[in-house]
């Protein structure tokens, strides 16, 4: 790393921090205007709102737009250098274009590694703080609502249905448990009431009817009350918004493994979240390279033209990412392929721009 490399790297870091700071201020102002009524009704102090909510909101919004603002920052300061003919002077001094990109690679891997680590540990922890605050003070009505007609698959063969469930008291009514293997139902259990016994770690049932089926033979048992132990805890009954975003990567992997053992459906949401944490870090490197190549050429339009091209490319990246993830969640597109399609396409674009760039 020479002096000119450190010069470019300092511009890279300082421009990104400046751009990100402006973004965070604007995002916080917009968020306050949307939630001002909830903050007023919460009767919390300014300090508690900052600590209990915005300490979680800031890392979330920063990580969400991290790759795109890296891209905009690279285009902004590189186009300024090109406009002042600094890049022409560097290349005319005998430095190759490949060598000129070295500080961009260093900055890209530095920020990419920072985002990768943040997506795995810091951002999920922040999301947990943010979601907890929103569930209590913003979406309080929804969080306090009872659940009705909720059916869950708790293992490969067992389905449970709650006719009603109160998450505050951890109890419900019209409970139904069915053991289905293939096309055959082996067990059907009904109970008028169900409640969680935290001491024994079991569910207590009242007015129970158990129907056991063995081919053409059936056996009925009525019991005033009983207790069963099933792989279902009260925490899993809560309707949590974006629950997968609040788990660190080790926790998310364990949760996915457990859901796979249960034979649960709709796991693509979890897979997309797991793969996205790595693909977004790779996007930082790809978008940095694209931005450096585009903005290094001096054009008559100056920084304005470069920024316009950058905004178009940023919008295209977001559109491709949204389309691919929706196809994975709603259809049957492979989640790994879905989150990496934009990176592959823009990686090819980066190579094409590199080989066509004036050396």
């Amino acid at each position: 790393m020479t002096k000119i490399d450190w010069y470019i790297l300092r511009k890279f870091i300082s421009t990104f921090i400046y751009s990100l700071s402006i973004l965070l201020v604007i995002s916080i102002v917009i968020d306050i205007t949307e939630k001002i009524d909830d903050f007023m009704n919460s009767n919390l102090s300014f300090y508690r709102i900052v600590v209990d909510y915005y300490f979680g909101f800031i890392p979330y919004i920063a990580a969400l737009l991290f790759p795109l603002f890296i891209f905009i920052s690279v285009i902004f300061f590189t186009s300024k250098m090109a406009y002042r003919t600094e890049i022409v002077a560097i290349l005319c001094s005998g430095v190759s274009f490949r060598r000129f990109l070295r500080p961009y690679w260093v900055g890209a891997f530095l920020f990419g590694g920072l985002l990768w680590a943040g997506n795995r540990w810091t951002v999920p922890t922040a999301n947990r703080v943010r979601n907890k605050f929103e569930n209590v003070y913003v979406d309080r009505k929804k969080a306090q609502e009872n659940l009705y007609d909720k059916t869950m698959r708790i293992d490969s063969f067992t389905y449970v249905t709650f006719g009603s469930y109160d998450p505050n008291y951890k109890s419900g009514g019209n409970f139904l448990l069915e053991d289905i293997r293939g096309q055959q139902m082996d067990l059907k259990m009904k109970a008028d009431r169900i409640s969680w016994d935290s001491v024994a770690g079991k569910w207590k049932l009242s007015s129970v009817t158990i129907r056991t089926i063995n081919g053409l033979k059936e056996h009925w048992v009525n019991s005033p009350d009983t207790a069963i132990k099933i792989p279902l805890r009260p925490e899993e009954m809560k309707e949590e918004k974006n629950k997968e975003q609040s788990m660190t990567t080790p926790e998310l992997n364990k949760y996915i493994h457990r859901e796979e053992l249960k034979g649960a459906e709709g796991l693509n949401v979890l897979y997309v979240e797991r793969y996205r944490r790595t693909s977004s870090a790779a996007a930082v490197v790809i978008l940095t390279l694209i931005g450096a190549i585009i903005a290094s050429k001096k054009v008559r339009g100056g920084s304005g033209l470069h920024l316009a091209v950058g905004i178009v490319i940023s919008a295209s990246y977001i559109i491709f990412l949204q389309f691919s993830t929706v196809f994975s969640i709603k259809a049957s597109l492979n989640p790994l392929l879905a989150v990496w399609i934009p990176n592959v396409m823009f990686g090819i674009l980066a190579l094409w721009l590199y080989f066509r760039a004036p050396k």
Side-chain angles (χ1 to χ4, degrees):
M1 295 285 287
T2 61
K3 286 185 177 181
I4 192 66
D5 293 324
W6 286 111
Y7 171 74
I8 295 174
L9 186 59
R10 281 197 301 269
K11 280 185 170 294
F12 189 175
I13 297 174
S14 60
T15 305
F16 172 70
I17 293 175
Y18 177 74
S19 303
L20 188 62
S21 300
I22 294 176
L23 164 72
L24 293 178
V25 171
I26 295 174
S27 301
I28 290 173
V29 170
I30 294 174
D31 189 69
I32 289 176
T33 58
E34 292 180 350
K35 296 184 173 66
I36 186 65
D37 292 337
D38 298 306
F39 292 156
M40 296 293 291
N41 295 331
S42 65
N43 295 323
L44 293 176
S45 65
F46 174 78
Y47 173 79
R48 296 311 312 172
I49 292 175
V50 171
V51 173
D52 293 344
Y53 179 66
Y54 282 105
F55 275 14
F57 176 80
I58 291 175
Y60 160 74
I61 198 67
L64 182 65
L65 299 177
F66 198 97
L68 301 183
F69 266 78
I70 283 282
F71 184 52
I72 298 297
S73 301
V74 169
I75 286 182
F76 184 76
F77 85 84
T78 305
S79 63
K80 288 290 185 182
M81 292 178 60
Y83 182 75
R84 293 193 295 260
T85 325
E86 295 180 20
I87 295 177
V88 174
I90 293 173
L91 298 179
C92 289
S93 67
V95 176
S96 66
F97 188 73
R98 179 181 177 183
R99 175 63 182 81
F100 163 73
L101 292 176
R102 177 179 294 180
Y104 290 94
W105 285 107
V106 173
F109 279 102
L110 174 66
F111 284 120
L114 181 65
L115 180 60
W116 179 82
N119 280 339
R120 292 175 66 88
W121 292 286
T122 307
V123 177
T125 304
N127 284 335
R128 196 172 300 163
V129 174
R130 178 178 62 88
N131 290 340
K132 182 179 179 180
F133 182 91
E134 290 184 343
N135 290 333
V136 175
Y137 299 107
V138 179
D139 301 326
R140 67 184 76 183
K141 292 183 179 180
K142 184 177 179 181
Q144 293 174 356
E145 287 180 352
N146 294 349
L147 303 177
Y148 296 96
D149 295 327
K150 182 177 180 63
T151 300
M152 304 176 64
R153 186 175 182 177
I154 59 175
D155 59 34
S156 301
F157 310 104
T158 308
Y159 297 81
V160 294
T161 300
F162 289 79
S164 63
Y165 182 78
D166 188 339
N168 297 319
Y169 295 98
K170 301 178 183 179
S171 62
N174 297 326
F175 174 75
L176 175 64
L177 183 147
E178 297 173 309
D179 189 312
I180 302 175
R181 299 173 186 265
Q183 301 296 322
Q184 178 66 37
M185 178 183 295
D186 294 340
L187 177 68
K188 189 170 186 177
M189 178 185 297
K190 292 183 178 181
D192 290 343
R193 297 292 302 169
I194 181 171
S195 59
W196 173 251
D197 186 346
S198 58
V199 177
K202 297 180 179 181
W203 291 95
K204 296 175 63 177
L205 307 180
S206 302
S207 302
V208 185
T209 300
I210 304 175
R211 176 187 175 195
T212 305
I213 304 171
N214 184 11
L216 298 177
K217 298 181 180 180
E218 296 186 9
H219 181 66
W220 290 77
V221 175
N222 293 321
S223 174
D225 54 61
T226 187
I228 58 172
K229 188 170 186 178
I230 55 177
L232 177 68
R233 298 186 63 85
E235 304 87 63
E236 301 177 50
M237 295 293 296
K238 293 182 180 179
E239 295 286 349
E240 295 184 22
K241 182 175 63 176
N242 300 324
K243 180 170 61 175
E244 69 280 356
Q245 297 180 5
S246 302
M247 301 179 186
T248 63
T249 299
E251 292 172 346
L252 181 61
N253 290 333
K254 291 180 180 179
Y255 183 72
I256 291 175
H257 179 66
R258 180 180 175 185
E259 293 297 300
E260 288 174 340
L261 292 178
K262 290 164 56 176
E265 300 177 353
L267 295 182
N268 277 9
V269 176
L270 304 178
Y271 294 137
V272 166
E273 174 63 21
R274 180 170 66 180
Y275 299 139
R276 182 198 61 80
R277 298 181 179 186
T278 301
S279 67
S280 61
V284 170
V285 179
I286 296 171
L287 294 177
T288 297
L289 182 60
I290 294 176
I293 295 171
I294 291 176
S296 61
K297 183 179 179 181
K298 185 176 181 180
V299 294
R300 183 170 297 179
S303 301
L305 180 60
H306 287 150
L307 287 175
V309 174
I311 292 173
V312 171
I313 294 178
S314 301
S316 302
Y317 180 85
I318 294 174
I319 291 172
F320 276 113
L321 181 61
Q322 290 298 322
F323 267 104
S324 59
T325 52
V326 167
F327 272 111
S328 176
I329 295 173
K330 302 298 182 180
S332 57
L333 182 63
N334 184 280
L336 179 61
L337 182 62
V339 297
W340 280 94
I341 282 178
N343 286 351
V344 172
M345 296 182 64
F346 281 81
I348 294 173
L349 174 62
L351 292 176
W352 182 78
L353 290 173
Y354 173 78
F355 287 116
R356 287 184 58 86
K359 305 300 191 292

